[in-house]
Amino acid sequence: MPPDNELIERSAREPAVFATLFDRHASAVYRYAAQRLGDHLADDVMSETFLVAFERRSAYDLDVPDARPWLLGIATRLIRKHARVEAVAWRGMVADLAAQVAPDFIDQAGARIDAERLTRRLSTALRRLSATDRDTLLLYAWGELNYEAIAAAMQVPVGTVRSRLHRARRHLRRAAGIDNLEQETDRGRIDTAPQHS
């Protein structure tokens, strides 16, 4: 199977080849959009993403074999157009998460109330992040991109990605009442970006 960059290059001569790129990455773009906006808009964002990508394929950096960061970057910019809808989705997500946090047993009522409060605080904290910090965090968490891929998707240096993620994490830790990094749980996610001293 040829890498994405070869498919994009060939699609200049054979436009139908671009369909292979869609087959490879449509589900990842859809999942990312659905997590940000909900299922009802995810199809539109996914379709628009590939339409924009097809129209701009001549500008693709052919030295980059994986097109997923490029596609998720396009999707992120399209999602920004739906910012008002996303704000409504956050409110709905808070209600859904609060309902799923803990079973409604009398002996667990205290834990459920605490979890609901935490969910509200975190949702508020996410909404208060700048759009660029929120996009960076969600590309990392929901788009499952590493630092370099996020930098490519957002067309910024890796250092900017690090700063944005640090700021977002600090803001969310504060909202969750976590005072220091030692209290944070590692979720097993390994970032391949080199750490600078």
Side-chain angles (χ1 to χ4, degrees):
M1 274 244 226
D4 296 342
N5 56 346
E6 288 180 21
L7 291 172
I8 293 169
E9 185 177 30
R10 276 183 48 207
S11 73
R13 297 179 308 279
E14 307 167 50
V17 171
F18 200 82
T20 305
L21 197 68
F22 178 87
D23 294 340
R24 281 185 190 172
H25 298 294
S27 61
V29 172
Y30 177 86
R31 272 192 315 273
Y32 176 68
Q35 290 171 314
R36 296 277 311 258
L37 297 172
D39 291 335
H40 60 288
L41 289 174
D43 277 327
D44 292 343
V45 169
M46 181 192 63
S47 298
E48 265 186 274
T49 297
F50 282 94
L51 178 62
V52 169
F54 182 78
E55 291 170 351
R56 296 184 185 165
R57 69 191 186 281
S58 63
Y60 184 77
D61 180 359
L62 295 174
D63 292 331
V64 180
D66 182 12
R68 194 168 58 108
W70 177 60
L71 294 167
L72 291 177
I74 293 169
T76 298
R77 287 184 284 285
L78 292 170
I79 286 169
R80 283 186 190 156
K81 292 180 180 180
H82 297 279
R84 193 179 94 262
V85 176
E86 186 178 20
V88 172
W90 281 114
R91 286 193 293 275
M93 185 174 64
V94 170
D96 288 346
L97 287 173
Q100 296 172 15
V101 169
D104 194 17
F105 299 116
I106 293 173
D107 59 337
Q108 294 180 347
R112 184 173 45 86
I113 290 168
D114 290 344
E116 288 172 357
R117 286 181 186 147
L118 178 59
T119 301
R120 279 194 303 273
R121 285 197 314 264
L122 289 174
S123 176
T124 299
L126 281 169
R127 279 195 313 272
R128 289 183 178 162
L129 286 173
S130 71
T132 55
D133 287 356
R134 185 173 46 248
D135 289 342
T136 303
L137 178 66
L138 296 178
L139 281 168
Y140 181 78
W142 289 347
E144 299 178 359
L145 297 180
N146 65 22
Y147 289 13
E148 287 87 3
I150 295 168
M154 299 195 74
Q155 300 171 346
V156 297
V158 172
T160 301
V161 171
R162 289 185 188 287
S163 296
R164 289 176 180 174
L165 283 174
H166 175 75
R167 202 170 29 249
R169 288 173 176 147
R170 186 180 58 215
H171 185 70
L172 292 175
R173 278 195 302 271
R174 204 175 303 126
I178 299 173
D179 294 331
N180 59 43
L181 290 172
E182 287 73 38
Q183 289 179 286
E184 215 174 330
T185 303
D186 179 11
R187 300 288 179 211
R189 191 85 194 276
I190 299 173
D191 187 76
T192 59
Q195 299 294 320
H196 298 288
S197 302

